[in-house]
Amino acid sequence: MAKLRTKILNKEYSSDEFANKLYQATDSKTGWIAKLGHYRDLIVHYVPLSQASNYSSLLQKYVDINNEKKLPSVMLPIPDNPLEIMDVRNNSSHLSSKEINQEEFLEKVKQDLKESINKTDALKYCSDSMSKLMELSTNLLKYASIKSDIINIPKEDLISFKVIEE
């Protein structure tokens, strides 16, 4: 992607709308493709997500369905900025020589749990990224020299679910 960005997109992004979108998506600081790559690098090369920051709890919450019913749900908060965590780990500043007493530690855990509710959910992030990748793939089709077949999934092959009322 880096070579594509420097050799092709850098020249084409001002004249082609799709190239401009791809150029922005691959920007190392703000692009969604770059951020997805940073998460991948964080997990593969640096540290598992469960150890990437102070919070690593799977949270249970309830989602409103129609103002009357709530559906139980789980959330796995992930760090907002994986590149920042990699920078901290590269500089070894995540290591601390001072001891933390148990009360300070428990207070920190409580604070992290409160903040976790506002963090990005791993499953939602994956779903959003997959949607963006599908849109990107669809947009790339017009540039392909070999045309692909459109895959149609018949209605009878789709699975649906209903909320069961108690």
Side-chain angles (χ1 to χ4, degrees):
M1 188 57 77
K3 284 185 181 182
L4 173 70
R5 192 169 201 278
T6 55
K7 298 206 182 242
I8 297 172
L9 295 178
N10 200 25
K11 298 171 189 166
E12 300 291 329
Y13 79 95
S14 59
S15 60
D16 183 274
E17 181 182 347
F18 177 71
N20 185 25
K21 285 183 181 179
L22 192 55
Y23 188 79
Q24 290 175 10
T26 56
D27 180 81
S28 65
K29 299 286 185 201
T30 59
W32 69 267
I33 292 175
K35 187 173 185 178
L36 183 62
H38 296 321
Y39 276 119
R40 180 246 175 229
D41 292 344
L42 179 65
I43 294 166
V44 173
H45 299 297
Y46 289 83
V47 62
L49 275 177
S50 65
Q51 298 170 10
S53 61
N54 293 330
Y55 53 87
S56 61
S57 301
L58 185 66
L59 305 174
Q60 181 180 2
K61 62 181 187 172
Y62 292 91
V63 179
D64 286 324
I65 298 176
N66 59 7
N67 293 335
E68 296 174 14
K69 303 207 179 301
K70 293 183 183 272
L71 187 64
S73 175
V74 292
M75 175 186 178
L76 176 62
I78 58 175
D80 291 327
N81 190 341
L83 189 57
E84 183 180 283
I85 293 169
M86 290 188 295
D87 288 344
V88 167
R89 296 215 173 234
N90 281 340
N91 296 328
S92 298
S93 60
H94 67 288
L95 302 174
S96 175
S97 60
K98 77 173 195 177
E99 289 186 27
I100 300 175
N101 69 37
Q102 189 173 6
E103 289 175 14
E104 288 176 342
F105 175 75
L106 291 174
E107 191 57 39
K108 179 70 173 143
V109 169
K110 286 178 190 176
Q111 185 63 33
D112 287 341
L113 284 173
K114 286 178 187 175
E115 292 173 6
S116 293
I117 293 294
N118 300 320
K119 298 291 181 187
T120 303
D121 177 46
L123 184 57
K124 181 169 181 359
Y125 181 79
C126 288
S127 175
D128 292 346
S129 295
M130 183 58 88
S131 294
K132 289 176 182 176
L133 285 169
M134 288 171 43
E135 180 182 351
L136 176 65
S137 299
T138 303
N139 288 331
L140 277 172
L141 284 175
K142 65 182 173 187
Y143 296 96
S145 58
I146 300 171
K147 297 299 174 194
S148 65
D149 294 331
I150 302 296
I151 298 171
N152 290 312
I153 301 172
K155 189 174 183 176
E156 56 271 8
D157 287 346
L158 298 177
I159 299 171
S160 64
F161 71 94
K162 294 181 181 180
V163 176
I164 300 171
E165 296 184 27
E166 291 183 31

